[in-house]
């Protein structure tokens, strides 16, 4: 790669790698750190001081946190495409299965997210309102959105020239070209293919990335079906390529469910996914080089 | 290593059929009922229109000493709604010692639009993909599951050590 300088750090629970042609100045790094901190403080389900935290206790309104409209508007489409399997009020359901603010990882059983979430949650005129206490979780696309924001910040700085890659634990935005191995979900030493991406974004999602034991002895992970509160069992891993990381991240989540291919098609997202029994599927427009 | 539970499946006949298939496999694996007829769980998007028909194959009804089900092959008709119509599919399940050993789904789209609806968003399918060693291919980075957060991994390690004690 043409990038010669890598900045690595941990934030929002994942490893970030920012690759640029020349080393980033301390000033730009602190801007990036502040942006990530502000996003986390707005939306994190894991922080007691998050802007959305009071809504989980008491119904009411708050000034809409950053990026509320672009993210929640896309959630409407995700929810419709997946027949309700993706839902931004899944925070309580995730916490009950053990994926809570303290990484308790103790399973207290399945609970669906509120199916009529669009009646309970509104965002307009800069105000975010819940009519019943609800734990908002933007996990289906929030990390992708933040990766886009970091990329936009870097590209807006005159001193940043040449190729740039922002990689937040598999949500990757690229200006330039990267050849990306698609890691086998059951064997981290192997790849099921390679995807060369130029000026776009690739987001990967895998169910065993964050998995823990369930009360019934089965494996639990962080991709739950909001209609049941149960983890998805059919798809093991997804990879999606789009112009921006939020769209790719949203599609990578949708592809765990039946409506995913349709959602991807309507947003011009190319994709590959692997089922839990080892089968690969891909979109008609996939440019991935697969090792079949 | 913790892994997800694989649901046995052999044929994938479109998105809607896959959910039917999962339900049938679930019903077939249930050991809580002595009824040998595969039952169909209620689904929110799918209405099942008929009862299962037990057994036309030779080993149907052969004794399975301790099992809840008789070994054999069972077929059921199901239906699901598309934007254009209601489609029917046929699901065949093979049971051996209370385990689903084979599932086949046959779709029969009645309208051309539905045929496109079932297939147009998927470009290809390939089973038993083994892949290549990452250190034997030329790439600039890896996208997958190897990068996890410190806090999460630490919690998993604690659970593992408690489970051993």
């Amino acid at each position: 790669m043409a990038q010669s300088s890598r900045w690595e750090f941990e934030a929002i629970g994942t490893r970030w790698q920012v690759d640029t042609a020349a080393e980033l100045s301390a000033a730009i790094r602190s801007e990036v750190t502040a942006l990530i901190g502000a996003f986390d403080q707005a939306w994190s389900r894991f922080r007691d001081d998050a802007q959305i935290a009071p809504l989980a206790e008491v119904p009411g309104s708050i000034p809409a946190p950053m990026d509320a409209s672009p993210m929640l508007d896309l959630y409407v489409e995700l929810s419709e495409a997946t027949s309700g399997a993706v839902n931004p009020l899944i925070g309580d359901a995730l916490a009950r299965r053990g994926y809570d603010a303290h990484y308790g990882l103790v399973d207290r059983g399945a609970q669906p997210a509120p199916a009529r979430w669009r009646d309970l949650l509104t965002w307009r005129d800069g105000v975010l309102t819940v009519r019943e206490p609800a734990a908002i979780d933007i996990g289906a696309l929030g990390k992708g959105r933040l990766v886009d924001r970091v990329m936009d910040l870097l590209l807006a700085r005159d001193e940043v020239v040449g190729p740039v890659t922002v990689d937040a634990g598999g949500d990757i935005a690229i200006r330039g070209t990267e050849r990306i191995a698609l890691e086998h979900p059951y064997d981290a030493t192997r790849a099921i293919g390679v995807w060369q991406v130029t000026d776009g974004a690739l987001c990967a999602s895998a169910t065993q990335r964050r998995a823990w034991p369930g009360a019934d002895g089965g494996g639990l992970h962080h991709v739950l079906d909001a209609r049941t509160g149960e983890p998805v069992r059919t798809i093991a891993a997804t990879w999606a390529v789009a112009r921006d990381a939020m769209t790719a991240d949203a599609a990578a989540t949708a592809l765990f469910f039946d409506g995913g291919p349709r959602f991807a098609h309507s947003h011009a997202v190319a994709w590959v996914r692997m089922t839990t029994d080892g089968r690969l599927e891909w979109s008609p427009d996939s440019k991935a080089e697969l090792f079949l | 290593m913790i892994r997800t539970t694989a649901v046995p499946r052999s044929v994938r006949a479109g998105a809607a059929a896959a959910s039917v298939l999962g339900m049938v496999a679930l019903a077939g694996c249930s050991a809580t009922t002595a009824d040998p007829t595969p039952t169909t769980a209620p689904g929110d998007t799918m209405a099942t229109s008929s009862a299962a028909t037990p057994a036309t194959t030779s080993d149907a009804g052969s004794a399975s000493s301790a099992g809840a089900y008789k070994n054999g092959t069972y077929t059921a008709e199901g239906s699901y709604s598309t934007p254009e119509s209601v489609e029917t599919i046929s699901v065949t399940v093979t049971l051996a010692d209370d385990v689903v050993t084979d599932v086949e789904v046959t779709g029969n789209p009645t309208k051309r639009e539905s045929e496109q609806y079932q297939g147009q968003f998927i470009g290809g399918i390939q089973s038993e993909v083994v892949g290549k060693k990452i250190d034997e291919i030329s790439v600039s980075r890896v996208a997958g599951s190897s990068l996890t957060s410190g806090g999460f991994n630490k919690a998993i390690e604690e659970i593992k050590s408690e489970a051993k004690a």
Side-chain angles (χ1 to χ4, degrees):
Chain A
M1 283 288 89
Q3 292 100 327
S4 58
S5 179
R6 169 166 292 180
W7 175 31
E8 266 187 289
F9 54 94
E10 285 266 342
I12 63 162
T14 197
R15 170 75 57 83
W16 290 67
Q17 294 176 337
V18 178
D19 288 9
T20 47
E23 191 175 347
L24 292 171
S25 68
I28 287 187
R29 292 187 189 202
S30 62
E31 278 187 89
V32 169
T33 304
L35 171 63
I36 294 171
F39 192 92
D40 192 51
Q41 204 268 325
W43 292 105
S44 177
R45 195 166 55 79
F46 299 155
R47 285 175 63 159
D48 294 336
D49 65 339
Q51 287 172 49
I52 60 167
L55 303 180
E57 309 295 330
V58 189
S61 297
I62 60 170
M66 62 193 290
D67 293 346
S69 287
M71 292 196 294
L72 292 172
D73 288 349
L74 194 51
Y75 257 100
V76 171
E77 294 186 51
L78 272 176
S79 176
E80 285 173 357
T82 60
S83 304
V86 181
N87 181 324
L89 300 188
I90 200 166
D92 285 326
L94 278 164
R96 274 186 63 84
R97 303 305 312 240
Y99 198 43
D100 56 31
H102 313 290
Y103 285 134
L105 305 183
V106 174
D107 181 18
R108 286 173 290 135
Q111 167 188 295
R116 50 190 193 94
W117 69 270
R118 291 188 63 191
D119 297 332
L120 302 180
L121 178 69
T122 59
W123 57 100
R124 64 173 69 93
D125 303 327
V127 176
L128 182 70
T129 302
V130 297
R131 304 199 196 296
E132 291 174 10
I136 299 168
D137 183 281
I138 54 160
L141 49 72
K143 187 149 64 84
R145 178 66 182 183
L146 183 52
V147 165
D148 287 333
R149 293 287 301 245
V150 170
M151 175 61 90
D152 289 346
L153 188 160
L154 294 172
L155 294 179
R157 297 297 174 272
D158 290 340
E159 68 176 81
V160 178
V161 292
V164 179
T165 298
V166 178
D167 182 347
D171 284 4
I172 308 165
I174 300 150
R175 288 298 173 277
T177 297
E178 294 262 12
R179 275 178 61 79
I180 302 168
L182 311 181
E183 184 185 293
H184 195 298
Y186 296 142
D187 183 350
T189 67
R190 305 186 79 87
I192 57 95
V194 172
W195 207 325
Q196 181 162 314
V197 179
T198 300
D199 295 340
L202 182 149
C203 290
S205 190
T207 54
Q208 92 291 9
R209 176 199 300 238
R210 295 182 174 207
W212 60 97
D216 61 358
L220 277 173
H221 54 73
H222 69 292
V223 183
L224 297 186
D225 186 329
R227 297 166 296 190
T228 60
E230 296 287 355
V232 299
R233 303 286 190 202
T234 314
I235 305 295
T238 65
W239 298 268
V241 170
R243 292 180 68 87
D244 63 90
M246 179 171 72
T247 305
D249 196 7
T253 303
L255 284 163
F256 282 94
F257 304 99
D258 287 346
R262 174 184 280 259
F263 176 87
H265 177 78
S266 64
H267 289 270
V269 178
W271 55 271
V272 174
R273 66 181 178 182
M274 182 179 256
T275 60
T276 44
D277 57 4
R279 177 194 321 251
L280 269 191
E281 298 178 354
W282 57 91
S283 63
D285 55 346
S286 165
K287 300 283 196 296
E289 174 194 335
L290 299 172
F291 305 142
L292 302 178
Chain B
M1 182 171 182
I2 299 157
R3 290 183 183 167
T4 55
T5 309
V7 177
R9 304 184 304 115
S10 68
V11 173
R12 184 179 182 86
S19 68
V20 176
L21 198 151
M23 287 159 51
V24 170
L26 200 69
C29 290
S30 166
T32 55
T33 167
D35 182 355
T37 304
T39 52
T40 315
D44 49 359
T45 59
M46 182 214 147
T48 305
S49 60
S50 74
T53 316
T56 51
T57 56
S58 56
D59 61 343
S62 67
S64 166
S65 54
Y69 302 106
K70 288 180 183 170
N71 291 345
T73 302
Y74 299 84
T75 299
E77 298 285 322
S79 64
Y80 63 94
S81 297
T82 74
E84 297 91 17
S85 64
V86 176
E87 302 293 344
T88 58
I89 55 166
S90 170
V91 181
T92 300
V93 176
T94 303
L95 288 177
D97 298 331
D98 287 349
V99 173
V100 176
T101 57
D102 193 24
V103 179
E104 284 208 3
V105 177
T106 310
N108 185 22
T110 54
K111 287 187 177 179
R112 191 157 171 269
E113 291 83 359
S114 297
E115 213 161 33
Q116 291 174 346
Y117 174 72
Q118 290 185 12
Q120 68 175 309
F121 302 126
I122 294 177
I125 295 174
Q126 175 74 46
S127 59
E128 293 171 26
V129 175
V130 178
K132 293 183 182 175
K133 286 284 183 188
I134 286 177
D135 52 15
E136 292 168 4
I137 57 177
S138 170
V139 293
S140 52
R141 68 183 57 239
V142 175
S145 59
S146 56
L147 294 170
T148 47
S149 75
F152 187 87
N153 289 344
K154 198 171 151 213
I156 281 292
E157 289 308 313
E158 281 176 21
I159 286 178
K160 282 183 188 168
S161 60
E162 282 173 22
K164 277 180 193 161

